[in-house]
Amino acid sequence: MSIDLDFDLIIDNLPLLLKGAAVTLEITALSVGIGLLIGMVVGIARLSNFKAIRWLAGIYVDFIRGTPLLVQIFLVYFALPKILGMRIDPFFAAVAACSINSGAYVAEIFRSGIQSIDKGQFEASRALGLNWFQSMKFVIMPQAFKRIIPPLGNEFIAMLKDSSLVSVIGFEELTRTGQMIISRTYAVFEVWMVVALLYLIMTLCISRLVAVLEKRFNTSKR
């Protein structure tokens, strides 16, 4: 059995697929970037001395991690407009849902990273006259950040692949672009093969970047 590939079709539609790949990277970068800010705050909140703050942060993390991203996208794009009484732009819905999802996972990454730092580091910084905020900013977080680079890289890769789910609301990222080309050309194998290769190339590039950052910051050293 042989498969005849239509290379002319691939070449003709490659610009559209590359544009879709660029949009996928944009959504991923924005989502993980915003998720990084959310996760940092929630991760610290999970370690707060105030029970109510720990409880609220825990509810957020458990709910997001315990429900599928697809359902979260539906809630933002279809349910939220019912509450607000206004239509939500697909791009905003995609970034919002992915950011909220990423934030929960990043929060646990930050929490584990902070807890991996010896408590004596915090106590020593306080003994030197630094307040809680200064101790976290100048002593704890820099050390924790070096240790969480690998899991953050994994989160970026996971979000890159999971972002394909936003195609269900009609947003034209890489997967949706592939679906639209197939509906017009019926070239199922050629299109999905190129889509898969583009995802593979992007994930390999991110993996390589993470490896470089690990080496740069010597994350394996304690």
Side-chain angles (χ1 to χ4, degrees), residues 15-145:
L16 286 176
L17 292 171
L18 289 174
K19 182 179 179 181
V23 174
T24 292
L25 282 173
E26 182 182 7
I27 293 176
T28 304
L30 285 172
S31 299
V32 176
I34 297 172
L36 193 65
L37 298 176
I38 296 173
M40 187 183 302
V41 174
V42 176
I44 293 174
R46 293 270 280 168
L47 301 173
S48 173
N49 292 325
F50 298 97
K51 186 176 181 180
I53 294 178
R54 290 200 312 272
W55 183 71
L56 290 173
I59 289 178
Y60 163 71
V61 171
D62 290 341
F63 177 80
I64 297 300
R65 296 183 67 189
T67 56
L69 175 57
L70 182 61
V71 173
Q72 295 162 19
I73 293 171
F74 285 154
L75 284 173
V76 173
Y77 188 66
F78 294 112
L80 191 58
K82 295 290 185 181
I83 299 173
L84 300 178
M86 58 182 291
R87 183 179 178 276
I88 294 180
D89 180 76
F91 179 78
F92 174 82
V95 173
C98 290
S99 297
I100 293 170
N101 181 272
S102 181
Y105 288 91
V106 173
E108 289 299 278
I109 293 173
F110 266 107
R111 181 183 63 81
S112 61
I114 293 171
Q115 288 183 323
S116 71
I117 306 301
D118 189 277
K119 291 182 179 180
Q121 296 278 332
F122 186 79
E123 294 170 355
S125 65
R126 296 304 299 272
L128 291 172
L130 299 179
N131 58 35
W132 183 90
F133 178 79
Q134 291 172 327
S135 297
M136 291 296 295
K137 181 179 180 180
F138 297 113
V139 179
I140 305 301
M141 293 305 293
Q143 296 181 71
F145 187 77

Side-chain angles (χ1 to χ4, degrees), residues 177-216:
T177 300
Q179 291 173 337
M180 294 174 66
I181 294 173
I182 290 172
S183 68
R184 174 169 49 83
T185 64
Y186 300 102
V188 177
F189 181 79
E190 289 91 339
V191 174
W192 286 133
M193 181 187 69
V194 175
V195 168
L197 286 174
L198 289 174
Y199 274 113
L200 178 61
I201 291 170
M202 289 188 289
T203 55
L204 288 177
C205 288
I206 294 170
S207 297
R208 179 56 184 164
L209 177 60
V210 172
V212 171
L213 289 175
E214 284 187 70
K215 184 177 181 180
R216 169 68 178 79

